[in-house]
């Protein structure tokens, strides 16, 4: 999945804060995949203060991140939960839509590739 700088920032906010052990392991793994290096933050001009976060869209780069089937299912479940609770916001709308649209396709592609190699 190709994620923008903003997608990566917001993705962590849609994941559950408390859950069972397995879900927390998946959340930790997702968090590691989307985390920013110091270099990325410096190159993007990222600054954070009491008013929020800012960065240069021209200087920030999109990143391709591979998620496992379990991680995609967790992300989709999180988006579904936000939707049912009417907690989708204008800020997280794009990443929520991206997860709904791309999640199933990625799983199907990986399963198809796996079947072709067997």
């Amino acid at each position: 999945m190709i994620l923008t700088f903003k997608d990566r920032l917001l993705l962590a906010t849609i994941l559950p804060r408390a859950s069972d052990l397995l879900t927390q392991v998946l959340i930790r793994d997702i968090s590691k995949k989307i985390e920013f290096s110091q270099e990325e933050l410096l190159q993007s001009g990222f600054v954070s203060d009491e008013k929020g976060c800012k960065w240069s869209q021209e200087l920030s780069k999109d990143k391709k991140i591979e998620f496992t089937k379990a991680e995609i299912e967790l992300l989709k479940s999180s988006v579904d939960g936000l939707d049912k609770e009417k907690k989708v916001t204008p800020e997280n709308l794009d990443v929520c839509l991206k997860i709904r649209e791309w999640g199933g396709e990625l799983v199907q592609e990986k399963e198809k590739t796996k079947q072709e190699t067997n």
Side-chain angles (χ1 to χ4, degrees):
M1 179 182 294
I2 306 285
L3 296 174
T4 66
F5 195 90
K6 182 179 179 182
D7 291 340
R8 290 168 62 200
L9 281 174
L10 292 173
L11 197 59
T13 67
I14 69 169
L15 296 169
R17 300 284 303 149
S19 62
D20 59 86
L21 185 61
L22 177 60
T23 301
Q24 284 301 316
V25 170
L26 290 171
I27 291 169
R28 181 185 63 194
D29 292 347
I30 291 169
S31 297
K32 286 179 185 178
K33 290 178 180 182
I34 64 171
E35 74 184 3
F36 295 92
S37 68
Q38 290 181 34
E39 184 178 327
E40 281 180 290
L41 293 174
L42 289 171
Q43 287 177 348
S44 69
F46 181 85
V47 290
S48 177
D49 59 25
E50 62 278 347
K51 294 180 183 178
C53 303
K54 295 179 187 177
W55 64 91
S56 168
Q57 290 186 10
E58 294 82 29
L59 298 175
S60 62
K61 296 179 183 173
D62 294 350
K63 185 173 182 179
K64 182 176 182 175
I65 299 176
E66 297 285 330
F67 294 108
T68 66
K69 182 177 179 179
E71 291 167 345
I72 290 169
E73 288 174 2
L74 173 61
L75 291 167
K76 290 184 82 169
S77 173
S78 297
V79 169
D80 289 344
L82 287 176
D83 189 28
K84 286 177 187 173
E85 295 172 12
K86 298 187 185 305
K87 292 188 177 180
V88 176
T89 66
E91 291 79 21
N92 68 18
L93 176 62
D94 289 337
V95 74
C96 288
L97 290 172
K98 189 176 284 190
I99 289 166
R100 275 211 172 150
E101 292 168 6
W102 280 79
E105 292 174 21
L106 285 176
V107 171
Q108 290 171 5
E109 285 176 24
K110 285 188 175 199
E111 287 176 355
K112 183 179 176 183
T113 303
K114 190 183 238 183
Q115 289 173 355
E116 290 172 357
T117 58
N118 289 335

